[in-house]
Amino acid sequence: MSGTEQEDVRYMRRALRLAVKGLRGCPPNPAVGCLIVKEGRVIGEGFHARAGEPHAEVMALREAGAEARGATAYVTLEPCSHHGRTPPCAPALVEAGVERVVAAVRDPNPCVAGRGLAILRGAGITVDESVCEPQARRINRGFFSRFERGRPWVTLKLAASLDGCSALADGTSQWITGAVSRAAVHRGRARAGAVLTGVGTVLADDPLLNARLYGQRRQPLRIVLDSKLSLSPQARLFTCDGGDVHVFCGAGVENTRREALLAAGATIHEVAAGDDGRPRLESVLTTLTELEVNEVYAECGPGLAGALIDAGLVDELELYQGPHLFGPDARSFAVLNRRTRIPEPPTWRVVRAQRCGRDARIRIQMEKE
């Protein structure tokens, strides 16, 4: 790797660290970081903090001021070329007089998809691409998933004992994991565009499903799969600060609670249902894609957890294991279809394992085909 290539990687990694700062606030927009560099000095930096607010390039150009002329801009995603909630960034870079733009990865949004880079090249700006591309794609995994696969990235959060159980035989499950793990779960919610669960979990635990973090402004949507519309309008979901509540049921479901749920603030979606009357998970994810959800954070009971896994819709397992042994009569963390062989190659791969307070936190991703 040449000196220039090494320098590009070094600056892009710094821009990527900036991008991460926006993960909790910018959805449904991508998290983007930008550096303006001139003669070996960083003269401006910025990140996209919140949807509707200035993009990373604009923030960095503001800091650089007139010095941006003749400089190099390092951007973790192709500069946008269309008017959304804010003006486009590619023309702003042209107007600022930057000499070179280094982009980590092209924007998958069809409104951009190479047009931003074409604007820059058309203005005589030198453009280099694909610097730290894997890292840039990983930061915005949900954004890329939504545009490239037509569905959000799905993370399934699981809490289990050392022997893989989510509750004792009588259903007791609090608390399998400690306070540090529970705080980490709120960070997962804060990053997501939606938190998904089944009505059984809501009826049993009456959860809030919001992100209770200091300074958290944007809240994820709260998604409840409820085939019979049995959710109570008095559920705490409707009485606390949090994202909008969306309830999914099969088409034509009638229940005296429908009007009460609507009055409580729920949005009800009727989607295709399976033979069991439950909403088809693929249809749910299609609707969430239409709602511009990039990432889904599923916190649910073993039935829905198993259904998501068996349908091949889980991209990552976020497993928290508490230091307990529940024994043979305890409930599994996922009710799965029967397996008759050990798959080869493995279906999943461990990407990270770490201590989380008194617990273990293991991230496991579905292997790509």
Side-chain angles (χ1 to χ4, degrees):
M1 184 182 293
S2 68
T4 300
E5 291 172 328
Q6 290 177 342
E7 187 176 78
D8 285 347
V9 168
R10 178 165 62 87
Y11 286 129
M12 188 62 76
R13 285 176 176 169
R14 180 166 169 177
L16 289 166
R17 290 193 294 272
L18 286 170
V20 170
K21 294 182 178 181
L23 279 173
R24 295 179 187 170
C26 66
N29 292 352
V32 181
C34 178
L35 289 183
I36 309 295
V37 179
K38 189 172 187 179
E39 297 176 354
R41 295 185 301 114
V42 175
I43 58 174
E45 62 180 33
F47 67 94
H48 184 37
R50 187 175 172 86
E53 295 182 359
H55 289 187
E57 297 94 322
V58 172
M59 299 300 291
L61 287 171
R62 284 180 182 175
E63 188 172 294
E67 281 195 273
R69 185 163 300 278
T72 296
Y74 291 86
V75 191
T76 60
L77 185 71
E78 175 185 3
C80 61
S81 57
H82 66 296
H83 283 268
R85 300 185 190 182
T86 59
C89 295
L93 290 166
V94 173
E95 185 178 348
V98 300
E99 187 174 273
R100 178 174 177 245
V101 172
V102 182
V105 60
R106 290 198 176 199
D107 192 325
N109 186 339
C111 294
V112 185
R115 293 182 178 88
L117 299 181
I119 289 172
L120 299 173
R121 290 189 171 111
I125 295 173
T126 300
V127 175
D128 291 301
E129 303 180 53
S130 303
V131 176
C132 300
E133 180 173 349
Q135 298 93 319
R137 290 180 65 91
R138 187 158 56 245
I139 287 173
N140 284 306
R141 61 193 186 184
F143 185 75
F144 280 94
S145 179
R146 176 158 66 92
F147 284 103
E148 293 180 347
R149 301 191 299 173
R151 72 165 179 85
W153 175 278
V154 177
T155 297
L156 174 59
K157 189 275 290 185
L158 300 166
S161 62
L162 294 176
D163 47 350
C165 300
S166 62
L168 297 176
D170 64 0
T172 301
S173 61
Q174 292 184 327
W175 292 100
I176 296 175
T177 57
V180 176
S181 292
R182 294 195 293 274
V185 168
H186 284 282
R187 289 194 292 273
R189 292 179 186 176
R191 171 173 175 152
V195 177
L196 181 146
T197 195
V199 70
T201 296
V202 179
L203 294 176
D205 300 334
D206 202 14
L208 301 177
L209 298 181
N210 56 2
R212 298 186 292 279
L213 288 170
Y214 179 75
Q216 179 66 21
R217 297 167 61 191
R218 182 195 62 85
Q219 288 286 341
L221 303 179
R222 291 172 293 176
I223 312 301
V224 182
L225 306 192
D226 185 5
S227 58
K228 298 180 180 179
L229 290 182
S230 53
L231 178 64
S232 169
Q234 283 74 49
R236 292 200 300 165
L237 292 173
F238 299 113
T239 62
C240 70
D241 292 333
D244 293 342
V245 178
H246 292 253
V247 179
F248 284 78
C249 63
V253 173
E254 291 300 332
N255 190 300
T256 56
R257 288 183 175 174
R258 178 185 289 269
E259 294 304 319
L261 288 171
L262 292 172
T267 298
I268 297 177
H269 302 269
E270 294 188 358
V271 298
D275 295 337
D276 57 3
R278 296 175 178 173
R280 290 191 180 276
L281 299 174
E282 294 85 352
S283 299
V284 173
L285 293 183
T286 296
T287 301
L288 294 183
T289 301
E290 294 168 355
L291 293 173
E292 297 187 310
V293 171
N294 294 332
E295 294 195 27
V296 172
Y297 195 70
E299 299 184 58
C300 51
L304 180 52
L308 286 165
I309 293 171
D310 284 334
L313 297 175
V314 176
D315 298 298
E316 180 172 282
L317 299 173
E318 186 174 282
L319 174 61
Y320 295 87
Q321 282 193 291
H324 309 285
L325 294 169
F326 283 1
D329 297 327
R331 302 181 184 182
S332 172
F333 62 65
V335 178
L336 300 166
N337 293 335
R338 183 181 296 276
R339 268 59 171 169
T340 58
R341 65 181 181 87
I342 298 175
E344 181 61 40
T347 309
W348 302 88
R349 64 184 178 92
V350 175
V351 295
R352 189 174 185 187
Q354 62 188 130
R355 184 173 177 177
C356 192
R358 71 181 192 187
D359 310 314
R361 179 174 183 255
I362 307 171
R363 288 177 49 230
I364 308 164
Q365 290 185 358
M366 174 69 78
E367 283 283 20
K368 295 181 181 179
E369 297 181 358

